[in-house]
Amino acid sequence: MSAPGEVLPATAAYPSLARASSSLAILVLAYTFSFIDRTILAMLVGPIKAELHLSDTQISLLTGLAFAIFYTALGLPFGMIVDKGSRRGLAAAGVAIWSVMTVLCGAAGNYWSLLAARIGVAAGEATLSPAAYSLIPDLFKPEHRSRAQGVYAMGACFGSGLAFLIGGWTIMAVSGLPPVSLPLLGEFSGWRLVFLVVGAPGLLVALLVLAVAEPRRKAAAPAVAGPSLAARPAAALEALRRHWRAYGVVIVGCSVVNIAFHGLSAWAPTLLGRVHQLEQGQIGLILGLGFLGPGCAGLLLGGWVADRWLAAGRLDANLRMALIGALGAAALLSGLVLSPGTAATVVILYGAIFMMMFPMGAAPAALQIICPPDLRGRIAAVYMLALNLIGMGIGPTAVALLTDYGFADPMAVGRSMGLVGLIAGLIAAGLITLGRPSFRALASAPQRPTA
């Protein structure tokens, strides 16, 4: 057996496809639960605001900026652990932590205790993606990686979709139930009981994560840093500095698309309930099917097309898919500015979800093409930092600020979503277009040692 951080030649044997696929399935399940626990609050905005007397902007901090700051800050040290230690062990611990903290969200007595519990959820979830982004290239051969990354990213769709479905159904189911009393935590009823229902099963998922294969680390074909660079403490930052244009087009360009994604995820339930007067069960069904259907289809199609283009020699195939997704999402979300009817709003949301999934799988796969294997955890952590600090940090809060202070009208939440989505999509498309030549040059560079 190799040491945890040892890197083997790219020709070293991969796990069997069955073992790799089963490990990927567990990672997808964990990622699904992370998005359920992260997203469920969006379905509970109404009752939480009413009981704790909060504004849209305060809610947006719980779903966006405050969550994103801790999620991203902790991702960097976790990325260093990923590059040197047990990836599945770190991920399993993280799943257990965020599941417990989700339950504690239901025990919150005021805004600050709810904020503290959400920070705990963020801390646990910060472990998973750096570990997964490091594991997947060592589980799957290069010709399968874009699809594998797309499948992993489907956890975001599964989790978001199930969060809306479970949230809608659970809110209706628990409305007539007596409170559930837990030792030390107190009574859980109404919206509090929803957090208990979605959080507790994650402890079983944490045990399942321990069954994920821990494959040997393998060298990538195109290397932008040799062993001496990777061994230094600031290796990831040095690689990013040397090739900032190539990395930046992926890390920043694709992260800006995430502003639109998180703005939609956080406020679509409110749009459908507040503006279109739909009930919680209807909202959960509509959005749940949107993420499970068009969302998953977008991820699978994007990964499949990118793999075909890569096989044809287009090294920037993943960036092409991200560009298509950014432009498509911007065009569709701009329609919300016109305050369309309910049916048209649902069509716009479904189309935007489909298009925004292209960059979700494309960006991690693009990073794997240019990133040395012993820097993957740290580079993935930097990517997750940008992805969530930019997307999760800006998206929900930008929509809320526009609604509260720009339009000064709670019924304008749809127009705020549309404007934020349009601007984010166009900026992302511009950044991706400008950075593609640098990415292609680095992706085609021969392996070389560095000082």
Side-chain angles (χ1 to χ4, degrees), residues 197-263:
V197 170
V198 302
L203 295 174
L204 298 177
V205 178
L207 295 176
L208 194 58
V209 171
L210 294 175
V212 169
E214 183 74 60
R216 296 181 176 185
R217 302 170 197 261
K218 302 171 187 68
V224 297
S228 59
L229 172 59
R232 293 202 286 272
L237 294 179
E238 188 168 347
L240 292 171
R241 180 189 61 79
R242 289 187 181 188
H243 307 286
W244 64 271
R245 288 184 179 87
Y247 281 108
V249 64
V250 182
I251 293 174
V252 179
C254 293
S255 294
V256 172
V257 184
N258 220 32
I259 293 174
F261 174 80
H262 280 288

Side-chain angles (χ1 to χ4, degrees), residues 106 233 277:
Q277 301 296 306

Side-chain angles (χ1 to χ4, degrees), residues 66-315:
F67 187 98
I69 287 173
F70 286 89
Y71 183 92
T72 55
L74 291 171
L76 292 175
F78 289 149
M80 296 181 68
I81 295 173
V82 162
D83 286 335
K84 300 297 181 182
S86 171
R87 295 168 282 188
R88 68 182 173 197
L90 178 67
V95 176
I97 291 170
W98 88 56
S99 300
V100 170
M101 298 309 293
T102 298
V103 173
L104 291 179
C105 286
N110 53 49
Y111 178 73
W112 298 108
S113 56
L114 180 55
L115 178 62
R118 287 288 291 175
I119 289 171
V121 175
E125 292 191 7
T127 65
L128 181 61
S129 284
Y133 290 152
S134 178
L135 282 166
I136 290 173
D138 295 331
L139 288 168
F140 292 92
K141 296 179 180 179
E143 60 267 25
H144 297 141
R145 286 179 189 163
S146 292
R147 275 168 287 183
Q149 284 289 1
V151 170
Y152 173 72
M154 284 174 64
C157 290
F158 289 151
S160 299
L162 290 174
F164 292 128
L165 286 173
I166 293 171
W169 294 337
T170 305
I171 289 168
M172 293 188 298
V174 304
S175 60
L177 294 179
V180 174
S181 182
L182 295 180
L184 302 178
L185 298 180
E187 290 189 346
F188 284 70
S189 61
W191 62 268
R192 300 177 183 278
L193 194 54
V194 177
F195 282 113
L196 176 63
V197 170
V198 302
L203 295 174
L204 298 177
V205 178
L207 295 176
L208 194 58
V209 171
L210 294 175
V212 169
E214 183 74 60
R216 296 181 176 185
R217 302 170 197 261
K218 302 171 187 68
V224 297
S228 59
L229 172 59
R232 293 202 286 272
L237 294 179
E238 188 168 347
L240 292 171
R241 180 189 61 79
R242 289 187 181 188
H243 307 286
W244 64 271
R245 288 184 179 87
Y247 281 108
V249 64
V250 182
I251 293 174
V252 179
C254 293
S255 294
V256 172
V257 184
N258 220 32
I259 293 174
F261 174 80
H262 280 288
L264 185 153
S265 297
W267 292 109
T270 302
L271 169 64
L272 295 176
R274 182 187 294 172
V275 177
H276 297 282
Q277 301 296 306
L278 298 182
E279 298 180 354
Q280 292 291 338
Q282 295 173 304
I283 295 170
L285 182 62
I286 289 171
L287 295 178
L289 293 178
F291 280 97
L292 293 172
C296 291
L299 278 170
L300 290 174
L301 179 63
W304 180 78
V305 173
D307 281 339
R308 292 287 299 270
W309 285 352
L310 280 170
R314 297 175 180 174
L315 296 178

Side-chain angles (χ1 to χ4, degrees), residues 31 133 146 149-150 153-154 156 249-261 295 298-303 306 317-330 351-367 383-384 387 424-425 428-429 432:
Y31 199 37
Y133 290 152
S146 292
Q149 284 289 1
M154 284 174 64
V249 64
V250 182
I251 293 174
V252 179
C254 293
S255 294
V256 172
V257 184
N258 220 32
I259 293 174
F261 174 80
L299 278 170
L300 290 174
L301 179 63
N318 288 291
L319 293 185
R320 294 178 185 226
M321 295 310 301
L323 179 60
I324 292 170
L327 290 173
I353 291 170
F354 174 80
M355 299 304 301
M356 286 187 291
M357 289 303 105
F358 285 8
M360 286 283 192
L367 283 177
Y383 166 65
M384 295 304 297
L387 183 72
I432 293 169

Side-chain angles (χ1 to χ4, degrees), residues 365-385:
L367 283 177
Q368 290 167 12
I369 294 175
I370 60 175
C371 182
D374 39 5
L375 293 181
R376 282 183 184 138
R378 279 164 283 183
I379 296 294
V382 173
Y383 166 65
M384 295 304 297
L385 186 152

